Amino acid sequence: MTRPTSPSSSVPVPSRPTPSGMQRKLLSFSPLLSLRTLTLSLTSTPPALLLFSRSKKHSPSPCDEPYDPPFSAVPKSPAPKSKTRSPIGDKSPALHSDLPFDFRYSYSETDASVKPIGFREPPRFSPFGPGLLDRKWDGVSAPANVEVHRERDSEAWNSVLSDPLTEEEIEQLVERYRHDDCSRQINLGRGGVTHNMLDDIHNHWKRAEAVRIKCLGVPTLDMDSVCFHLEDKTGGKIIYRKINILLLYRGRSYDPKQRPVIPLMLWKPLAPIYPRLVQNVTKGLTLEETKEMRNRGLNSPALLKLTRNGVYVNVVARVREAFKTSEVVRLDCTHVGTSDCKKIGVKLRELVPCVPILFKDGQIVIWRGKGIPGMS
């Protein structure tokens, strides 16, 4: 048995055979050998030489500018110039409009005969902007500065309407604009016929002969008032009316370049404070009778259940019919909202007529009153 020799012994180590040509090619493509070769080359190269090669690779050419960056920046498009706005104190001429009516936020949902008892914001803050309109804002409206000539204005608007449409022309316009997918539509909500809606109507009239108006919410209680204000404030003509859908025609001789000047309201003004709608003691009744009427109304079945932003075109007729057999009527307005409930009560008081005696938990209790013609 032979004894193994230690590494320090002077036994000759056989030399490693040199690889052939084919083996040399195979070794050159080995990933481990390539990684080892790259590591050795990086460690053996001096840092100064690496910096020199890097700077030489990315250094600018002699023909370039001395301050040219290594990578040319992408040219930026020039920033759009902001429109210069005139300061508030600028004495530019105020806008003038020849429309022969007082400017209000809503024309169909406000009554000019009822005066407010207070304001929630100072009346000097005009919603048309400071110094932008030559009419003074009084907290409710901006009265016209010129004398109103209804006859002259009606003649001018009749000249724009020109000859009335034939039945065939009306049928064509109705078929074109009465559908729900009509692109020329304006939604009329709880605000009714608002001031800025007049500008929207004229914008649609630039490219269309008629505009479709879909009415929802409290204004649908009195569609006659909505139609009147639309025709009175725009000069157009209602050619189609079905439930809550209206078509407003612009006229044969309408010229978009001659449209009236309509200054826009920049914000919605806060509603002023009006007298209380419901008194503690109803006029015509004693305190005990008022309490009895309210309890009777709350315990009676609801005549109608109104929804939010619904269509209320038949509410007035239903209330009038119910008053023929009942003295007190209750309307369920749980999902309508407090502000809309009060608006509904105001409209019913004028249209039925009746006396609202209670607004509580979304319930409206109305009394038919005494001495109403046609009712006992």
Side-chain angles (χ1 to χ4, degrees), residues 13-76:
V13 179
S15 60
R16 184 176 298 175
T18 59
S20 61
M22 182 60 68
Q23 292 176 351
R24 199 177 290 115
K25 290 182 179 180
L26 293 175
L27 289 176
S28 62
F29 288 96
S30 175
L32 296 177
L33 184 60
S34 303
L35 180 61
R36 184 181 301 172
T37 306
L38 178 61
T39 307
L40 291 175
S41 63
L42 291 176
T43 54
S44 60
T45 306
L49 186 58
L50 288 174
L51 294 175
F52 176 76
S53 61
R54 181 180 179 88
S55 61
K56 183 177 180 181
K57 182 177 180 181
H58 296 281
S59 60
S61 58
C63 61
D64 295 336
E65 296 181 3
Y67 297 101
D68 189 22
F71 302 97
S72 58
V74 178
K76 297 181 179 180

Side-chain angles (χ1 to χ4, degrees), residues 154-175:
S154 61
E155 291 178 0
W157 285 350
N158 289 334
S159 64
V160 175
L161 290 175
S162 188
D163 299 333
L165 296 174
T166 61
E167 295 182 359
E168 292 77 10
E169 292 174 335
I170 293 177
E171 291 178 358
Q172 293 178 1
L173 291 176
V174 169
E175 183 62 27

Side-chain angles (χ1 to χ4, degrees), residues 157-268:
W157 285 350
N158 289 334
S159 64
V160 175
L161 290 175
S162 188
D163 299 333
L165 296 174
T166 61
E167 295 182 359
E168 292 77 10
E169 292 174 335
I170 293 177
E171 291 178 358
Q172 293 178 1
L173 291 176
V174 169
E175 183 62 27
R176 188 188 308 172
Y177 296 107
R178 72 179 178 86
H179 301 285
D180 291 336
D181 58 350
C182 175
S183 59
R184 303 299 175 186
Q185 174 175 307
I186 296 177
N187 296 325
L188 189 146
R190 64 179 62 180
V193 182
T194 59
H195 178 79
N196 289 354
M197 186 183 295
L198 307 181
D199 184 72
D200 295 339
I201 291 174
H202 284 280
N203 289 337
H204 281 287
W205 278 350
K206 287 181 181 179
R207 300 174 180 86
E209 295 181 84
V211 58
R212 182 178 189 261
I213 300 176
K214 184 177 182 180
C215 307
L216 295 173
V218 181
T220 57
L221 282 169
D222 191 3
M223 290 297 296
D224 294 336
S225 176
V226 172
C227 295
F228 168 76
H229 286 288
L230 284 175
E231 294 182 345
D232 183 67
K233 303 303 184 294
T234 62
K237 181 70 175 177
I238 300 291
I239 60 174
Y240 176 79
R241 173 180 172 180
K242 185 176 181 181
I243 308 178
N244 64 323
I245 303 299
L246 305 174
L247 288 186
L248 186 61
Y249 177 63
R250 67 181 184 181
R252 294 183 184 272
S253 305
Y254 180 82
D255 186 6
K257 297 181 180 180
Q258 301 296 328
R259 57 179 292 178
V261 178
I262 303 176
L264 297 179
M265 282 191 176
L266 304 183
W267 66 84
K268 178 182 177 180

Side-chain angles (χ1 to χ4, degrees), residues 297-344:
L298 288 176
N299 296 327
S300 63
L303 175 64
L304 293 171
K305 185 175 182 179
L306 306 183
T307 59
R308 187 179 182 87
N309 290 333
V311 182
Y312 311 143
V313 292
N314 61 342
V315 172
V316 175
R318 294 285 301 275
V319 171
R320 288 177 179 173
E321 188 69 21
F323 275 155
K324 294 180 179 180
T325 57
S326 178
E327 195 174 5
V328 183
V329 171
R330 178 173 70 92
L331 301 178
D332 188 358
C333 304
T334 306
H335 304 286
V336 173
T338 304
S339 61
D340 286 355
C341 282
K342 293 183 179 180
K343 293 179 181 179
I344 291 173

